[in-house]
Amino acid sequence: MPNLSERRPDPDLLLAKVKRQEAEARRGKLRIYFGSSAGVGKTYAMLSVARKLKVDGRDVIVGIVETHGRMDTAALLTDLEVLPPRMMPYRGKELGEFDLDAALLRHPSLILVDELAHSNVQGARHPKRWQDVEELLAAGIDVFTTLNVQHLESLNDVVGGITDVRVWETVPDTVFDDADEVVLVDIPADELLERLRAGKVYLPQQAERAASNFFRKGNLMALRELALRRTADRVEGDVQAYRVDKSIGAVWKTASALLTCVGPDPGAERVVRAAARLAVQLNAEWHALYVETPGLQRLPAVRREKILGTLKLAKDLGATTAVIADADVATSVIDYARSHNLSKLVIGRDPVRRLWPWQRSHGQKLALLAPDIDLIEIGRADAVAQRGDAGNSRAELPAPSPGDQRKFKRLRYLWTALACVFVTLLSMPLAAHFDRSNIVAIYILTVVLIAVRLGRGAAALAAVLCVCSFDFFFVPPRFSFAVSDVQYFLTFCIMLAVGLITGQLTAGLRFQARVAAHREERAGSLYEIARDLSGAVQIDQVVKISDESIERTFRAGAALLLPNAAGRLEVTSARDDGALPVDLGIAQWAFDKGQPAGFGTDTLPGTEVLYIPLRAPSLARGVLAVKARNRRLLRIPEQRQLLDTFAALIAIALERVHYVEVAQGAVVQMESERLRNSLLAALSHDLRTPLTVLVGLAESLTLTKPPLSSTQFDTAAAIQEEARRMSTLVSNLLDMARIESGEVKLNLQWQPIEEVVGSALNAARGMLKQHRVEVHVPRDLPLVRIDALLIERVLVNLFENASKYTPPGSRIMLAAQVLGDTLSVSVADDGPGLAPGREEAVFQKFTRGERESATPGVGLGLAICRAIIESHQGKILAAHRPGGGAQFTFTLPLGNPPLAAEETDSGHG
Amino acid sequence: MAESLPVAILVEDERQIRRFVRTALEAEGWSVHETETLRQGLVDSGTRKPDLVILDLGMPDGDGMDFLRDLRGWSTVPVIVLSARVGEDDKIEALDAGADDYLTKPFGIGELLARVRASRRRRDAGAGLGSTVEFGDVKVDLSLRTVHKKGAAVHLTPIEYRLLGLLIANFGKVLTHRQILREVWGPSHIEDGHYVRVYMGHLRQKLEDDPTQPKHILTETAVGYRLVQNAIQ
């Protein structure tokens, strides 16, 4: 039994496979030409293949290709369509950049985009070219691109270590791993050097010196090995995917997942990259965790930014990231690992700087706490990495700490000094009456109070000041720092120790309190917005509540952009005072893609406003635009998460409001439909009953025995006739009302038209008694999908019309034929015809062909005909018959009639 | 003669309609019993052993359809339904629930009497149809399974013959599309309404003089079909 079930492919896996294939079918395919260094011929290889495809008839265009002045490469471009570059200003120059919008507009089948790792000039939609490529793929366009091994994010520092040259343009590994095909372009190191000497490899002028370092044989061989290995890893991944695809055997995925810890030390990026590589090799998920301790919270803003930057790098490399505020790093890491079922820990090795013999490294602490979890320690930073880190952080954020905070710090120390002076002055008169140990107690109390109020630094200062004051003012000899009795040194030491320890303890408590307060604040604001939103029943309320909550919580201006009926976003915020410079273009992009854009994201990060799509369970409901006055606030992961949660809550509220409206609309519609139907039914019943009586009684008069006199008989017959006409009129009115209200549900069935013609003739027999009727309906007409009752009504009305407006004895001709993809039916007569120019007017309600006419009837019949035919997607026209008279023609669309089951003689019985 | 008068029960709330229907039926030799409520109508149908029930579907004291289903639980008496409603659905529902025929208000006495006579004839014929049936110039021999029109043999396919047989067995009565589909094609084809129309067309082309102006196989639009002696009287 178990064997059977094990060999059967898991339905969930199969489903996932189908879903993946569906997503892939819509997405374009990415092929990367991958090489170990510049000059191996990636662009050349890519262009050669593109030319071949072009000859085969593929719609290939060149998005952007750098020929670097190489003739043989440029020659390949000649036959290909090249997208004109978009000129962007950059430091006073004009740079030709890849024009993403033009490419999307052109929408070729395949586009070549050279240099995947390229960074776009500021002002482009995405900071990186690989993001442009992502968008092309999402639009269903296939992309060929090129990439060097040193530009791969996770190998970046390895390559830096080998070559001493660090590049800053990197591509996340996920892009490489998710590419549909990777083509390795490879030449041996010697040949490459040969080409270099021959001047076939492009080197930028300014980088020439560094490059000459780079192109050493040893380097090239190492890079080549890296490129080959990375490609081999990928191929292995492909093989595994293939095996899963084909359900070959049982390839069990290990459930092990990695957790890496991000810290403030230099080289944290290296740890993250190492973890990323390991995760890829193990084919495992991985998490990156940052535990913020009190010490870390006191770090200068630039270094905190740096840590957040490392976390973002982890996220870019495919990790799930989290930030936890806790004083005990080891415990919280282990808790996190256990709660997320992560069995391997990757940490950086602690620097060897142990102050005390009992101090343990993080690694040791973790090992003690959780002996079952695998621990992998990564060697710390090398010189290159450190240099890079410093450069990186400088480039990324020059965020000065706020001025008032520094002022507060200075004030704090001033207060401490003042307090010490005050206590000393207070103690002077006491010294005469009390023992010096009591004076010590007063000082210690002072230190404790200062620690509680003003924090650790102030406590330390106070401890020193108090010791000095005590020594100077109270220890004999007084007013001198000299000490006569050695035992006071002990007093000094104890005073100092008490001051420092108290300061440390209270500072820790204050940190915990502050963390708790932050958490509470976040929880509180979430609770508030959730409560407020749950009470909102109108869009306006949702808008107002979100504006206010975001203003309160993030000290940021917010605007809700909601789509109109056409799916275009519109600003709906209540207070549109222009304080929020909303760019509807970016917002629309965020809405369409379902991805955040603007400040702090990967898309147009240069703008001030952050755009978060409001994704509700069923679909995106709009975009939340936020502009924080303190920008750093939005970079902190917890704040961003909180904002995302807000966005989710707002989205759900919008969706709920939407459904409330839909439900109300449905109730109103149902109610009005019910009312209309019951009204029509009542009208129909109440009018028909007396008409039935009239018809019936008039007819029974004509049947009485002995028979009536001829005038009496005629009167009774006339009453009967008129009552019947009135009944037709009532039917017409009711039908018109039903059709006008749009509530008529067509009972569409596949019908032979001759049957409907037959029943219409039967129904109109009475009024056609004095006319000659000719019917031309071929036998082999296809079935049409119609409501037979309504089409019969059309024909009866047309017959009635013809009989009313032609003298007795006239001919009435009905013909049906197939015209194109329609069935055309015409009713013609040889009577006086229509008044010229009235062909259209006859279909209006209450219109008749002649102004003044003795012919009875309210001109409803043809209006009903038009309404019925149009509800069948057909047309009805009035015209003059060529031989004189009027001709009404209507068409009905032909579809694909179902086949009637073919009958075989053996089917009998 | 008086003691053998056939009994009709008229369930109708409108006095004037009852009046002329009664007059017309009595002139045809029926003994008519009127009731104003469905409840009383049901009681009378049980006690008076009627030969015909004429039922107005729109009675104020309940749903005529319930009456019909209730009655069909224990009686096979022919029922003619009077309907004032616009839609055809209630007619189909009534026919499927066991009514034999229907009339849409306003109706003439001629129409009413034609329906009454047809149901009477069907009842008299009972199970024992003659071995040959004739309508117009068409002659059907049920025992030999042959069909002749104007003396010439007409070849029918098995389904066409079954269709004709069903119409003959219900001469003068309306058969809904559902009833025809169930009897001829079986319950799995209830939704394939176009089968009936297509084969009915074939049958008309073989048996009628002018298929677009049929005299015998009549269409009750959106409801079903009816076989009659001669449509034009």
Side-chain angles (χ1 to χ4, degrees):
Chain A
M1 274 297 282
N3 277 342
L4 271 178
S5 61
E6 267 167 28
R7 279 197 206 122
R8 252 206 334 249
D10 182 344
D12 285 341
L13 281 181
L14 284 179
L15 198 65
K17 185 177 121 191
V18 169
K19 275 189 183 154
R20 206 170 63 227
Q21 282 170 348
E22 273 176 4
E24 275 169 5
R26 269 180 266 113
R27 234 178 110 81
K29 302 259 187 250
L30 175 64
R31 180 190 286 186
I32 296 178
Y33 287 86
F34 187 56
S36 58
S37 88
V40 294
K42 300 178 299 293
T43 306
Y44 189 89
M46 175 171 82
L47 284 171
S48 311
V49 173
R51 279 169 68 95
K52 256 181 235 149
L53 289 173
K54 170 101 182 170
V55 171
D56 290 349
R58 201 67 201 273
D59 181 18
V60 184
I61 70 165
V62 175
I64 193 155
V65 160
E66 298 291 340
T67 58
H68 302 305
R70 268 172 264 161
M71 297 305 287
D72 46 353
T73 313
L76 287 180
L77 272 176
T78 46
D79 291 343
L80 292 168
E81 177 186 344
V82 181
L83 204 67
R86 180 172 164 208
M87 299 314 287
M88 307 270 291
Y90 179 70
R91 293 189 183 161
K93 284 188 286 180
E94 288 268 302
L95 282 186
E97 281 282 349
F98 171 55
D99 194 341
L100 175 60
D101 288 316
L104 288 171
L105 201 66
R106 165 72 174 73
H107 209 284
S109 156
L110 170 67
I111 189 166
L112 310 187
V113 182
D114 209 4
E115 298 286 352
L116 186 61
H118 176 79
S119 289
N120 289 332
V121 173
Q122 188 142 28
R125 184 181 310 161
H126 302 293
K128 301 285 187 183
R129 183 169 288 165
W130 63 263
Q131 290 163 334
D132 292 346
V133 168
E134 280 292 310
E135 199 162 336
L136 290 171
L137 294 172
I141 303 173
D142 292 351
V143 180
F144 282 7
T145 187
T146 64
L147 180 69
N148 282 334
V149 67
Q150 77 257 37
H151 293 296
L152 215 49
E153 181 75 60
S154 70
L155 293 176
N156 186 262
D157 56 341
V158 178
V159 175
I162 295 171
T163 61
D164 269 358
V165 177
R166 193 76 188 266
V167 287
W168 301 117
E169 299 185 329
T170 56
V171 173
D173 288 49
T174 45
V175 176
F176 182 78
D177 291 332
D178 292 347
D180 299 277
E181 290 166 89
V182 169
V183 177
L184 181 70
V185 182
D186 182 43
I187 56 171
D190 287 329
E191 201 180 322
L192 182 57
L193 285 172
E194 189 58 40
R195 294 183 58 177
L196 185 70
R197 270 192 289 279
K200 283 185 178 171
V201 177
Y202 164 76
L203 297 172
Q205 297 293 316
Q206 65 272 27
E208 197 145 1
R209 220 165 53 84
S212 63
N213 242 351
F214 183 88
F215 286 101
R216 279 182 314 215
K217 189 170 175 187
N219 280 356
L220 292 180
M221 279 162 60
L223 286 176
R224 192 168 167 225
E225 189 194 337
L226 266 181
L228 288 169
R229 273 237 303 262
R230 192 65 182 78
T231 316
D233 281 354
R234 229 203 81 96
V235 171
E236 191 186 303
D238 284 352
V239 169
Q240 278 202 2
Y242 178 81
R243 286 169 69 116
V244 172
D245 250 14
K246 303 288 172 196
S247 308
I248 296 173
V251 180
W252 295 111
K253 220 181 206 175
T254 49
S256 76
L258 295 181
L259 172 63
T260 184
C261 305
V262 174
D265 310 289
E269 288 189 13
R270 199 183 143 92
V271 177
V272 164
R273 289 209 172 89
R277 279 195 299 274
L278 202 57
V280 170
Q281 279 162 16
L282 293 175
N283 193 18
E285 271 185 43
W286 67 293
H287 293 232
L289 176 67
Y290 168 43
V291 182
E292 196 168 45
T293 59
L296 295 177
Q297 274 218 330
R298 279 193 301 276
L299 286 177
V302 176
R303 291 195 63 192
R304 291 188 68 198
E305 287 290 344
K306 173 92 182 51
I307 295 168
L308 299 182
T310 314
L311 263 189
K312 187 160 182 314
L313 170 73
K315 191 166 190 170
D316 288 346
L317 288 171
T320 310
T321 57
V323 178
I324 295 177
D326 201 319
D328 188 347
V329 176
T331 318
S332 47
V333 167
I334 295 298
D335 283 351
Y336 185 88
R338 291 218 195 285
S339 64
H340 289 79
N341 199 19
L342 307 170
S343 59
K344 290 187 172 56
L345 269 178
V346 179
I347 57 169
R349 188 177 300 135
D350 280 340
V352 197
R353 107 179 96 97
R354 217 176 286 175
L355 284 178
W356 313 101
W358 62 84
Q359 261 194 351
R360 289 203 172 88
S361 72
H362 282 316
Q364 285 167 318
K365 281 190 224 163
L366 291 169
L368 271 177
L369 271 172
D372 56 323
I373 289 182
D374 300 345
L375 199 62
I376 301 159
E377 281 193 80
I378 305 293
R380 276 296 175 185
D382 52 15
V384 171
Q386 283 205 15
R387 228 168 41 217
D389 293 345
N392 214 4
S393 59
R394 257 207 312 280
E396 207 154 282
L397 245 200
S401 60
D404 51 342
Q405 202 178 338
R406 221 180 297 156
K407 210 162 114 198
F408 172 71
K409 270 187 184 159
R410 252 181 281 134
L411 269 181
R412 207 155 57 169
Y413 294 119
L414 190 65
W415 278 115
T416 310
L418 284 178
C420 290
V421 170
F422 177 72
V423 168
T424 309
L425 289 177
L426 196 74
S427 307
M428 291 291 240
L430 298 179
H433 310 286
F434 292 93
D435 193 52
R436 267 187 287 278
S437 56
N438 289 325
I439 305 291
V440 169
I442 292 176
Y443 274 117
I444 289 181
L445 177 66
T446 311
V447 172
V448 170
L449 286 177
I450 286 174
V452 170
R453 292 294 305 168
L454 301 175
R456 195 169 56 163
L461 176 66
V464 172
L465 282 180
C466 287
V467 168
C468 293
S469 305
F470 180 62
D471 179 12
F472 192 78
F473 292 105
F474 299 100
V475 175
R478 294 182 65 181
F479 307 108
S480 138
F481 284 111
V483 179
S484 58
D485 195 340
V486 184
Q487 68 167 329
Y488 284 111
F489 280 113
L490 183 61
T491 317
F492 295 158
C493 289
I494 290 173
M495 267 179 83
L496 201 59
V498 167
L500 294 177
I501 292 169
T502 323
Q504 186 72 29
L505 282 177
T506 46
L509 279 178
R510 279 156 57 92
F511 171 72
Q512 294 289 358
R514 219 170 55 231
V515 168
H518 270 300
R519 268 189 207 147
E520 161 132 19
E521 199 183 311
R522 281 207 290 272
S525 54
L526 259 186
Y527 163 74
E528 262 177 50
I529 191 175
R531 185 197 56 197
D532 291 353
L533 283 176
S534 69
V537 289
Q538 283 173 336
I539 298 278
D540 293 349
Q541 286 171 300
V542 176
V543 169
K544 191 158 165 285
I545 291 164
S546 17
D547 279 359
E548 287 171 2
S549 307
I550 289 169
E551 173 69 44
R552 206 165 48 221
T553 313
F554 297 96
R555 278 169 288 144
L560 272 190
L561 310 171
L562 303 180
N564 59 16
R568 309 302 301 177
L569 289 176
E570 285 171 350
V571 181
T572 48
S573 215
R575 21 176 224 104
D576 188 17
D577 47 10
L580 200 70
V582 169
D583 184 325
L584 281 178
I586 308 176
Q588 189 71 42
W589 187 92
F591 179 70
D592 294 341
K593 301 277 168 183
Q595 283 171 9
F599 177 74
T601 65
D602 291 338
T603 307
L604 290 169
T607 52
E608 303 180 295
V609 184
L610 169 63
Y611 300 88
I612 303 173
L614 299 171
R615 273 175 302 203
S618 61
L619 71 165
R621 292 277 163 201
V623 167
L624 176 67
V626 180
K627 186 192 168 210
R629 283 192 278 286
N630 178 5
R631 298 236 211 134
R632 208 174 65 83
L633 214 56
L634 287 186
R635 281 194 194 268
I636 300 172
E638 298 103 309
Q639 293 287 344
R640 259 311 296 278
Q641 276 169 12
L642 186 64
L643 192 57
D644 287 345
T645 315
F646 269 41
L649 282 174
I650 294 169
I652 289 167
L654 286 173
E655 179 147 298
R656 187 172 50 77
V657 168
H658 169 75
Y659 281 128
V660 166
E661 281 170 6
V662 168
Q664 279 173 348
V667 168
V668 168
Q669 201 183 348
M670 248 166 57
E671 201 53 35
S672 63
E673 194 172 330
R674 204 182 56 79
L675 194 69
R676 189 186 298 115
N677 285 344
S678 57
L679 194 68
L680 286 178
L683 256 180
S684 152
H685 182 265
D686 290 357
L687 286 171
R688 274 162 206 256
T689 304
L691 283 171
T692 312
V693 175
L694 267 179
V695 170
L697 289 180
E699 200 174 350
S700 35
L701 263 185
T702 63
L703 297 175
T704 45
K705 288 170 193 165
L708 301 176
S709 72
S710 74
T711 45
Q712 283 169 327
F713 185 89
D714 287 350
T715 308
I719 291 174
Q720 190 196 347
E721 182 63 23
E722 290 303 307
R724 277 194 183 269
R725 234 202 6 250
M726 186 134 155
S727 159
T728 316
L729 181 63
V730 166
S731 298
N732 271 342
L733 276 171
L734 290 174
D735 280 354
M736 197 69 215
R738 281 193 326 148
I739 294 168
E740 289 267 291
S741 69
E743 295 301 328
V744 169
K745 296 203 176 47
L746 297 182
N747 175 23
L748 294 177
Q749 305 275 353
W750 291 102
Q751 301 268 0
I753 194 74
E754 63 172 30
E755 183 174 306
V756 185
V757 169
S759 50
L761 282 171
N762 191 31
R765 208 170 52 223
M767 50 184 114
L768 295 176
K769 266 180 202 151
Q770 298 174 335
H771 293 78
R772 284 177 292 141
V773 180
E774 295 170 14
V775 178
H776 304 283
V777 179
R779 286 195 168 195
D780 51 353
L781 285 179
L783 300 185
V784 278
R785 194 150 183 268
I786 52 174
D787 185 324
L789 206 61
L790 292 178
I791 298 297
E792 182 187 316
R793 164 62 52 83
V794 171
L795 286 170
V796 168
N797 282 354
L798 291 179
F799 287 145
E800 185 187 359
N801 209 57
S803 73
K804 246 191 321 200
Y805 294 103
T806 55
S810 305
R811 281 195 303 152
I812 295 177
M813 292 142 284
L814 182 141
Q817 58 180 322
V818 174
L819 274 184
D821 55 356
T822 58
L823 180 72
S824 163
V825 181
S826 67
V827 175
D829 60 60
D830 57 0
L834 293 162
R838 305 276 304 161
E839 292 90 343
E840 185 58 24
V842 290
F843 291 108
Q844 306 296 324
K845 260 178 283 179
F846 306 113
T847 301
R848 285 189 276 137
E850 295 166 43
R851 283 287 155 78
E852 300 292 329
S853 166
T855 317
V858 180
L860 257 184
L862 290 177
I864 290 174
C865 290
R866 164 168 280 190
I868 292 172
I869 294 298
E870 284 178 354
S871 68
H872 280 80
Q873 271 84 47
K875 287 196 181 72
I876 184 164
L877 295 169
H880 292 279
R881 200 174 74 93
Q887 174 167 331
F888 290 87
T889 308
F890 65 85
T891 58
L892 294 167
L894 290 175
N896 296 310
L899 297 169
E902 268 313 311
E903 192 186 352
T904 55
D905 277 323
S906 60
H908 183 22
Chain B
M1 181 100 180
E3 76 276 13
S4 66
L5 276 186
V7 176
I9 290 180
L10 176 57
V11 188
E12 165 66 65
D13 59 321
E14 191 63 38
R15 200 169 58 86
Q16 297 298 344
I17 294 180
R18 287 205 305 271
R19 196 175 128 195
F20 81 78
V21 171
R22 175 186 200 121
T23 315
L25 286 179
E26 279 177 351
E28 279 279 300
W30 287 77
S31 154
V32 179
H33 190 84
E34 298 173 22
T35 63
E36 282 179 60
T37 62
L38 290 172
R39 214 167 50 82
Q40 189 56 42
L42 212 52
V43 173
D44 289 349
S45 306
T47 53
R48 292 181 187 275
K49 297 195 169 54
D51 301 282
L52 175 70
V53 174
I54 296 176
L55 167 70
D56 185 358
L57 281 182
M59 293 290 281
D61 69 324
D63 188 355
M65 225 59 85
D66 290 339
F67 174 95
L68 206 51
R69 278 187 272 266
D70 212 341
L71 181 71
R72 274 290 170 258
W74 45 267
S75 167
T76 57
V77 58
V79 177
I80 294 176
V81 163
L82 306 180
S83 166
R85 288 180 227 182
V86 196
E88 308 300 308
D89 293 348
D90 55 333
K91 291 169 199 159
I92 296 174
E93 201 185 334
L95 291 169
D96 282 341
D100 291 67
D101 218 326
Y102 71 88
L103 281 166
T104 307
K105 290 180 185 176
F107 54 88
I109 289 172
E111 291 166 76
L112 171 71
L113 293 181
R115 302 280 198 273
V116 170
R117 281 181 209 126
S119 77
R120 180 88 187 134
R121 226 177 2 251
R122 265 199 312 280
R123 196 165 168 78
D124 289 347
L129 273 173
S131 70
T132 61
V133 178
E134 276 184 62
F135 52 92
D137 47 17
V138 178
K139 187 171 177 182
V140 182
D141 190 319
L142 294 171
S143 53
L144 295 174
R145 302 173 76 93
T146 56
V147 182
H148 289 82
K149 180 173 165 66
K150 291 179 184 157
V154 178
H155 175 71
L156 294 185
T157 66
I159 286 187
E160 285 164 6
Y161 185 81
R162 255 191 290 168
L163 208 52
L164 182 62
L166 183 68
L167 287 171
I168 289 172
N170 294 278
F171 211 99
K173 184 182 162 182
V174 185
L175 288 168
T176 66
H177 293 118
R178 282 175 86 84
Q179 287 168 340
I180 296 173
L181 280 165
R182 195 172 48 229
E183 294 297 325
V184 177
W185 278 271
S188 57
H189 289 280
I190 291 294
E191 302 307 321
D192 300 325
H194 60 282
Y195 284 14
V196 182
R197 296 189 196 96
V198 170
Y199 280 97
M200 221 41 109
H202 294 170
L203 212 50
R204 276 192 186 130
Q205 279 167 5
K206 288 180 181 175
L207 301 182
E208 295 278 2
D209 294 337
D210 179 356
T212 59
Q213 302 191 52
K215 290 199 175 75
H216 308 292
I217 305 172
L218 300 190
T219 307
E220 297 288 329
T221 308
V223 177
Y225 296 89
R226 180 205 301 275
L227 181 68
V228 297
Q229 257 318 321
N230 196 343
I232 298 150
Q233 291 155 344

